[in-house]
Amino acid sequence: MEYLLYNGILVTGQKVAEGAIHIEGDRIRSVIYGENAKALLSENPDIKGIDLEGKHVFAGGIDAHVHFREPGMTHKADIESESKAAVLGGVTSFIDMPNTKPPTISEKSLHEKLDAARNRSFANFGFHIGATDDNFGEISAAVSHCPADFGGIKIFMGSSTGNMKVENEATLDRLFRIRDKEILVHCEDERTIMRNLEAAESVYGENIPFRAHPEIRSREACILSSGKALELAVKYGTRLHLLHVSTRDEIEMLRKAKADDGMITGETSVNYLWFCNRDYERLGGRIKCNPSVKTANDREALRKAFLDGLIDTAGSDHAPHTEEEKSGPYMKVPSGMPSIQHTLPVLVTLFGNTQEGLKRIASAFSEKAADIFGIEDRGRLEAGYHADIVVVDIDAGFIVGKKNIAYKCGWSPYAGEKLNGRIEHVFVNGRHSVCNGRLQADATAAGRQLVFSR
Ligand SMILES: [Zn+2]
């Protein structure tokens, strides 16, 4: 199929300008700036024209931080259900984290996951490999045998869902010496958390309130652990992606550690940009996640760092659990919340009102992730790239609710919120997967395996 998306406003990390996109097969054939693209339609009757009526066009999102729960926890979510929600939210590629059951900690488990995604994913798919205290041999083997088949190496410096953490100092040293792949770190100091938990239990007994979550998974735990990761990365020249930065202090640490070579980069999740500790009263266990949602002051610093470009990417950290699982007492409620469908609307709501903000969205939503992980031919509105495209009505508001939530778990922490940025059209590899906000019947399994050149 050939399409001409005309009369749009194209948004990239560099500019916001009127233009059109000519799609041929699975690729972008040309990007035409200015208003004169429509002539192409009268010359070529085979091209299907879509008048975008001034709506904004971004490269499809690349979310390098998702937990689709497959294999092993498919009662919460699976590749099919969550990739569908991703595409409905304008995210056309995802890289899934390794803390599944079994965990993705070897070439074998990586390839089993890739096989599971083939012909079932609505979005392009990739996976990270996880580090443990004793799989360094497996990681080295994967780095030398199949580097194009996985995004990076995920290290939990502190525990989270799946308890897949690295505690051994010598192992950490060896991992940070890997130069050929991206190292992604979840930073929270375990000992600090354990100490805080004991203190909370002595105050509250078994009835720990959810508002105590940021006291238990405290800013100090994040700062201590991120400090260590940044120190190791600077020491060894590691390609480090600091995940879900949640405090003002870590932003300052990131600013100091970052150099012009782009070796150290930072991510925050939309959840930290949107929620703050005042929301625990209202949402309780629903926004319990690791690291914890911190103060309004931290949130303000994160928003500023996003606009400054100090924060490189905004992942969703999409981490679904069932509503039932999320509604128990503090100690029983698992951490994580679903969010991939609303990443772009949240960003548009927060930053879409200025040209600078729009450019930053384009950069953080797709371009930077493609750069950091070396994803071939994706993440840009440029000729020759795969036609992964999202068209957004940035002024159209909608209320998040049961009727429009596509996750298998059926709920969202954003329920009831009014967001701007309705997703109108989504193309995945040139296939018109979402039209006027609705998933098309032939959208099934349009996703392809991501190829990582780094
Ligand atoms: Zn995560």
Side-chain angles (χ1 to χ4, degrees), residues 109-298:
S109 49
L110 169 70
H111 285 107
E112 281 167 4
K113 249 181 170 179
L114 285 166
D115 287 341
R118 245 180 283 286
N119 304 317
R120 286 181 54 228
S121 182
F122 290 77
N124 304 305
F125 51 92
F127 299 94
H128 298 300
I129 284 192
T132 69
D133 269 332
D134 42 39
N135 76 335
F136 189 78
E138 284 285 358
I139 286 181
S140 305
V143 171
S144 55
H145 297 161
C146 57
D149 289 349
F150 65 103
I153 299 152
K154 167 80 179 280
I155 307 174
F156 285 89
M157 291 173 73
S159 72
S160 194
T161 302
N163 271 335
M164 219 182 59
K165 59 182 182 291
V166 177
E167 289 180 310
N168 185 306
E169 299 276 335
T171 308
L172 270 183
D173 257 37
R174 287 166 88 188
L175 287 164
F176 272 76
R177 275 188 220 156
I178 293 173
R179 293 292 189 87
D180 305 327
K181 291 296 283 184
E182 190 73 23
I183 302 292
L184 304 96
V185 283
H186 175 135
C187 289
E188 282 186 292
D189 182 68
E190 190 66 15
R191 252 171 267 165
T192 306
I193 295 166
M194 285 303 144
R195 210 169 45 229
N196 294 340
L197 184 59
E198 274 172 35
E201 278 171 329
S202 72
V203 175
Y204 303 112
E206 282 182 7
N207 299 312
I208 298 176
F210 285 100
R211 69 179 140 77
H213 190 51
E215 292 157 29
I216 295 165
R217 293 213 164 239
S218 63
R219 56 189 317 107
E220 290 74 22
C222 297
I223 293 163
L224 200 62
S225 181
S226 290
K228 189 169 178 182
L230 290 168
E231 188 188 311
L232 285 171
V234 170
K235 180 175 172 188
Y236 293 121
T238 318
R239 298 186 54 81
L240 181 77
H241 196 44
L242 191 63
L243 296 174
H244 40 45
V245 173
S246 64
T247 65
R248 182 181 285 272
D249 311 66
E250 287 167 289
I251 292 167
E252 288 318 308
M253 291 155 69
L254 191 58
R255 192 190 306 278
K256 289 203 187 93
K258 266 189 161 191
D260 294 338
D261 57 12
M263 296 290 275
I264 296 176
T265 50
E267 175 211 64
T268 195
S269 114
V270 282
N271 304 323
Y272 306 105
L273 292 168
W274 189 262
F275 298 111
C276 77
N277 59 347
R278 291 197 284 259
D279 295 314
Y280 286 109
E281 235 28 89
R282 184 170 57 95
L283 294 165
R286 292 187 165 227
I287 58 162
K288 184 188 182 200
C289 64
N290 302 337
S292 59
V293 167
K294 307 287 193 308
T295 66
N297 183 311
D298 291 305

Side-chain angles (χ1 to χ4, degrees), residues 204-446:
Y204 303 112
E206 282 182 7
N207 299 312
I208 298 176
F210 285 100
R211 69 179 140 77
H213 190 51
E215 292 157 29
I216 295 165
R217 293 213 164 239
S218 63
R219 56 189 317 107
E220 290 74 22
C222 297
I223 293 163
L224 200 62
S225 181
S226 290
K228 189 169 178 182
L230 290 168
E231 188 188 311
L232 285 171
V234 170
K235 180 175 172 188
Y236 293 121
T238 318
R239 298 186 54 81
L240 181 77
H241 196 44
L242 191 63
L243 296 174
H244 40 45
V245 173
S246 64
T247 65
R248 182 181 285 272
D249 311 66
E250 287 167 289
I251 292 167
E252 288 318 308
M253 291 155 69
L254 191 58
R255 192 190 306 278
K256 289 203 187 93
K258 266 189 161 191
D260 294 338
D261 57 12
M263 296 290 275
I264 296 176
T265 50
E267 175 211 64
T268 195
S269 114
V270 282
N271 304 323
Y272 306 105
L273 292 168
W274 189 262
F275 298 111
C276 77
N277 59 347
R278 291 197 284 259
D279 295 314
Y280 286 109
E281 235 28 89
R282 184 170 57 95
L283 294 165
R286 292 187 165 227
I287 58 162
K288 184 188 182 200
C289 64
N290 302 337
S292 59
V293 167
K294 307 287 193 308
T295 66
N297 183 311
D298 291 305
R299 180 176 64 181
E300 187 192 310
L302 287 165
R303 288 177 181 176
K304 185 166 183 303
F306 180 92
L307 285 173
D308 290 347
L310 194 63
I311 291 289
D312 296 273
T313 63
S316 63
D317 197 359
H318 178 73
H321 298 284
T322 65
E323 246 177 322
E324 199 189 339
E325 290 166 334
K326 288 296 266 182
S327 56
Y330 178 81
M331 289 301 284
K332 288 244 169 83
V333 166
S335 288
M337 56 182 129
S339 46
I340 199 166
Q341 202 183 338
H342 302 117
T343 304
L344 186 53
V346 166
L347 294 177
V348 164
T349 307
L350 293 175
F351 308 113
N353 55 348
T354 66
Q355 296 234 336
E356 270 323 293
L358 288 167
K359 286 196 273 185
R360 284 295 308 134
I361 293 171
S363 173
F365 187 57
S366 44
E367 293 178 4
K368 273 294 183 79
D371 290 347
I372 291 168
F373 298 99
I375 299 170
E376 280 184 16
D377 298 347
R378 297 192 192 277
R380 286 200 152 70
L381 294 178
E382 280 176 29
Y385 275 65
H386 289 281
D388 296 339
I389 294 162
V390 52
V391 177
V392 190
D393 187 340
I394 65 166
D395 300 316
F398 66 99
I399 292 171
V400 179
K402 288 268 179 207
K403 268 193 279 177
N404 52 34
I405 293 168
Y407 312 131
K408 192 178 208 176
C409 66
W411 69 276
S412 161
Y414 296 92
E417 306 275 3
K418 182 172 182 286
L419 300 177
N420 290 333
R422 207 174 54 207
I423 312 298
E424 298 285 329
H425 300 280
V426 181
F427 288 80
V428 182
N429 296 307
R431 195 188 294 229
H432 196 177
S433 291
V434 174
C435 180
N436 296 321
R438 288 178 189 279
L439 199 73
Q440 299 303 285
D442 65 349
T444 328

Side-chain angles (χ1 to χ4, degrees), residues 24-172:
E24 186 181 294
D26 61 353
R27 301 266 175 167
I28 295 173
R29 178 163 170 178
S30 60
V31 177
I32 307 150
Y33 282 99
E35 295 171 42
N36 46 12
K38 217 180 148 188
L40 206 61
L41 290 177
S42 41
E43 293 158 21
N44 301 280
D46 291 342
I47 302 178
K48 185 175 176 197
I50 300 176
D51 185 352
L52 300 182
E53 297 167 331
K55 295 189 184 94
H56 288 71
V57 186
F58 294 81
I62 299 176
D63 190 339
H65 191 162
V66 311
H67 302 266
F68 281 0
R69 307 302 192 201
E70 185 176 337
M73 292 170 279
T74 50
H75 69 286
K76 299 176 195 276
D78 61 57
I79 291 170
E80 222 171 308
S81 61
E82 308 312 282
S83 66
K84 187 193 289 183
V87 168
L88 279 163
V91 175
T92 52
S93 298
F94 67 86
I95 316 177
D96 183 68
M97 287 296 177
N99 56 335
T100 45
K101 288 181 188 166
T104 318
I105 52 174
S106 65
E107 274 183 81
K108 185 171 170 282
S109 49
L110 169 70
H111 285 107
E112 281 167 4
K113 249 181 170 179
L114 285 166
D115 287 341
R118 245 180 283 286
N119 304 317
R120 286 181 54 228
S121 182
F122 290 77
N124 304 305
F125 51 92
F127 299 94
H128 298 300
I129 284 192
T132 69
D133 269 332
D134 42 39
N135 76 335
F136 189 78
E138 284 285 358
I139 286 181
S140 305
V143 171
S144 55
H145 297 161
C146 57
D149 289 349
F150 65 103
I153 299 152
K154 167 80 179 280
I155 307 174
F156 285 89
M157 291 173 73
S159 72
S160 194
T161 302
N163 271 335
M164 219 182 59
K165 59 182 182 291
V166 177
E167 289 180 310
N168 185 306
E169 299 276 335
T171 308
L172 270 183

